[in-house]
Amino acid sequence: MLGRPFLLFSCRLYSPCTRSVRLDLWSFGCAVATSRRLSSMEDEVTTANPPPTSAACSAADTSSDAAGTQEKTTAVELLSGETVVREGKAAILFPSANEVFYNPVQEFNRDLTCAVITEFARDLLTQRGVKVVVPGDKERVVVSLSDDNNEVDVQPEQDNGAAEPLCSVTAGEKCEQGLRVLEGLAASGLRSVRFALEVPGLHSITANDFSSKAAALIARNAQYNGVGHLLQASCRDASMLMYEMRKKKDRYDVIDLDPYGSPVTFLDAAVQSVSEGGLLCITCTDMAVMAGNSGETCYSKYGSISIKAKYCHEMALRIILHSLDQRAAVYQRYIQPLLSVSVDFYIRVFVRVFTGQATVKNSASKQALLYNCIGCGSFHLQRMGRKTINGKNVKYSAATGPPVGPECQHCGHRHQLGGPIWAEPIHDLRFVQKVLSAVSGNPSRFGTSKRIEGVLSMVTEELEDVPLYYTIDNLSSTLHCNTPPLLQFRRKGGSPVCRSALLHAGHRVSMSHACKNAIKTDAPPAAIWDIMRCWEKTNPVKREKLSPTSPAFKILSCEPSFEACFRVREDANPQSRKRHLTRFQENPQAFWGPKARAKAGGGISMDLQDKRKKCQNKRKGQITDSSQLKNFPCKKFKKGTCDHGDQCCYAHEEMETSEDKTE
């Protein structure tokens, strides 16, 4: 029997209702032995759990390790074809057939979610007099990324006026005042099991999936990991389940939605069924739609037109935030983004939802239309509403515009109109700093701690009030000139020249976690092109080869309004790079991109990589070995006139010709 050490719990924490859910969802032969064991547990359940006290919260710590290990290893037996997938502290039973979706590359997503929910629970439960304890946590530190000496400043936790904690809770314990969590699309239940084992301060977890096979697997995984007292499996439509929990007393504190594709069909129910100040964790994997490949589809789903531009990954974040805010405003609610991350083929946003009719009126002024030049790539934002404050009086009115003329003033081309998008900050830097401090102070907690630390460090360095960004390679490509040495383009001993030039010109500048060579700056497009004109003078292009209608010809025909200084500044190099943090995705394995959707009826499907080789990339990686050129007979073979028999291949005539030539 496969087994490994896990957090151990007292049998008193199990309840008969949990047992009935498990037995209803899984009725195989192993359920007989399980029911006998669980029925014996009922004799040990004497009284209901009392309100949380110091003694009650520490009761689970006194459980016997030997008894817990025996329960863990004898409760569930592996069925034929099942394998055990281990991630974090969870061990998941997973069928070999493609019946339930699982993507190992999303470990970063799950690790980051556990870290965010832990800090969210810490903030919320501190106000309720409950202290959250994470094993391995040291004294809370704040990682300073602005100091040149790279020292870490140790700061004590702030109580924020909270009362003295009545008790403390650790992961795996059921907290009566804890958070109620819903994972709407749980698949194998890996994420929910990890919540139960790694996130302290939880009252209950509902792991839901519309597939009956997935729901049965969730129940078995909860039993296998010994978290049945916290985790309940559900086989419902996710939207209907959330709609039924719209009453204030029934709402969830945390809702996690990680669908295969777009989450748009679940957003309306999610913003209604999350509690006041609750947390929404949303994943979008339809990046092709949100990154500009299909603007009309993006509008039909999210109410915003996407544009194919270099800043498409950050624009995707702002599109989903706009969609969430619009849906919340219908019910007099508004969102507060805590963290928004764009990672390769998906995006992940964490937002809190509040209720307030007065604050909802600010919604129009938080959205903006986007004007993007199709020639040089310059962009401008146009707020959809205007908010005027005069003392205690607040006036809302329509915005005036547009901010651009019929043609771009830099290259003479026309503009694309995109959006509306979220134009406010997409991160709460105070909250991000808490998550960063917790992860960096306990790096052994997650398998992707180094990457989480790198990404969150870049998030804290971003200019929070500057939407979107430019890329230095696209600016150079527009002018057909050499690229200035910026970060990955720098030579040994080189420096971020373009960032220094913007700083010397009096503008703020930062990088972006969404793109390696991005430049976020409050400088207007005119200042950016002036700097590029100065750079072109030291790296001239052949202007006689430029078309008179090209953006480069129009931009270079004007002289810069000021002389850019490319002398290197010390503050141009970000602290995250000086500390050699892992800031961007490293390929965890070959062909690690989006996986195939689980088959509705189960069964073993064609290997994804074999399908890619058959249907895609026919001009890339061509087969040079003639023996591998075909695996089916030629036309002569079908007619019965081929002399090669089973060894027939399309190349055999060419092979005969080449053999004749060699003879």
Side-chain angles (χ1 to χ4, degrees), residues 22 70 79 86 88 123 133 160 196 249 283 336 342 345 347 366 392 401 412 424 511 554 567 576 620:
R22 290 199 298 266
Q70 182 180 4
L79 301 178
R86 303 185 185 277
D123 290 347
V133 178
N160 295 327
K249 62 178 182 179
T283 299
Q336 176 188 337
S342 176
F345 60 88
I347 59 176
K366 296 178 180 179
K392 296 183 179 180
E424 294 294 298
M511 299 184 63
K554 179 71 173 180
R567 179 173 53 83
S576 60
K620 298 179 181 179

Side-chain angles (χ1 to χ4, degrees), residues 221-504:
N221 283 324
Q223 187 178 2
Y224 185 76
N225 288 270
V227 293
H229 60 292
L230 282 176
L231 196 155
Q232 296 181 353
S234 170
C235 185
R236 298 281 305 280
D237 179 85
S239 295
M240 295 305 299
L241 175 61
M242 289 186 287
Y243 278 130
E244 292 177 0
M245 308 299 287
R246 289 178 294 175
K247 294 182 179 180
K248 291 186 178 181
K249 62 178 182 179
D250 297 332
R251 292 176 180 175
Y252 296 100
D253 298 298
V254 179
I255 296 180
D256 189 295
L257 297 175
D258 188 2
Y260 188 94
S262 173
V264 67
T265 55
F266 310 103
L267 297 184
D268 182 77
V271 297
Q272 296 184 66
S273 57
V274 68
S275 62
E276 180 67 14
L279 180 66
L280 286 181
C281 313
I282 310 293
T283 299
C284 303
T285 57
D286 56 336
M287 285 298 295
V289 173
M290 305 184 74
N293 284 353
S294 183
E296 67 283 355
T297 303
C298 185
Y299 181 80
S300 64
K301 290 183 176 181
Y302 301 99
S304 177
I305 295 181
S306 57
I307 294 178
K308 186 179 293 186
K310 294 296 182 180
Y311 48 74
C312 60
H313 289 88
E314 182 177 333
M315 186 177 183
L317 290 172
R318 296 183 178 276
I319 286 176
I320 184 63
L321 291 176
H322 158 76
S323 183
L324 281 170
D325 187 70
Q326 288 297 98
R327 283 169 169 80
V330 176
Y331 308 102
Q332 301 301 312
R333 312 194 80 182
Y334 63 95
I335 66 170
Q336 176 188 337
L338 295 181
L339 175 63
S340 305
V341 180
S342 176
V343 185
D344 309 305
F345 60 88
Y346 70 91
I347 59 176
R348 182 74 165 169
V349 296
F350 303 89
V351 300
R352 297 187 70 179
V353 181
F354 297 91
T355 304
Q357 184 177 5
T359 308
V360 170
K361 293 181 179 180
N362 299 327
S363 179
S365 60
K366 296 178 180 179
Q367 321 298 325
L369 295 173
L370 176 65
Y371 291 85
N372 180 77
C373 176
I374 62 176
C376 63
S378 302
F379 60 85
H380 299 79
L381 294 179
Q382 169 65 65
R383 297 274 180 163
M384 299 189 66
R386 184 172 59 178
K387 176 182 176 181
T388 306
I389 301 178
N390 186 10
K392 296 183 179 180
N393 298 324
V394 179
K395 180 181 179 181
Y396 299 93
S397 59
T400 58
V404 296
E407 297 179 349
C408 177
Q409 60 176 335
H410 309 293
C411 67
H413 286 67
R414 301 187 69 84
H415 293 88
Q416 290 176 314
L417 182 61
I421 62 174
W422 178 265
E424 294 294 298
I426 60 177
H427 313 292
D428 183 345
L429 295 185
R430 184 192 62 84
F431 181 82
V432 174
Q433 193 66 59
K434 287 185 177 181
V435 179
L436 175 59
S437 300
V439 174
S440 59
N442 189 6
S444 61
R445 184 183 176 193
F446 302 115
T448 60
S449 292
K450 290 185 177 179
R451 188 180 171 208
I452 293 177
E453 184 179 358
V455 171
L456 296 185
S457 297
M458 292 200 68
V459 167
T460 60
E461 294 170 347
E462 291 183 8
L463 297 177
E464 58 177 340
D465 57 341
V466 177
L468 308 180
Y469 53 80
Y470 294 93
T471 58
I472 187 62
D473 56 337
N474 187 56
L475 295 174
S476 303
S477 176
T478 301
L479 298 184
H480 304 284
C481 67
N482 295 334
T483 303
L486 171 65
L487 298 180
Q488 70 270 26
F489 295 101
R490 73 171 61 197
R491 306 177 183 87
K492 184 177 180 180
S495 303
V497 173
C498 193
R499 285 168 53 92
S500 297
L502 287 168
L503 292 172
H504 282 299

Side-chain angles (χ1 to χ4, degrees), residues 342-344 451 454-455 458 487-488 511-518 581-587:
S342 176
V343 185
D344 309 305
R451 188 180 171 208
V455 171
M458 292 200 68
L487 298 180
Q488 70 270 26
M511 299 184 63
S512 173
H513 77 279
C515 183
K516 290 182 178 180
N517 51 339
L581 300 178
T582 304
R583 302 175 297 165
F584 299 99
Q585 169 71 40
E586 297 178 352
N587 294 351

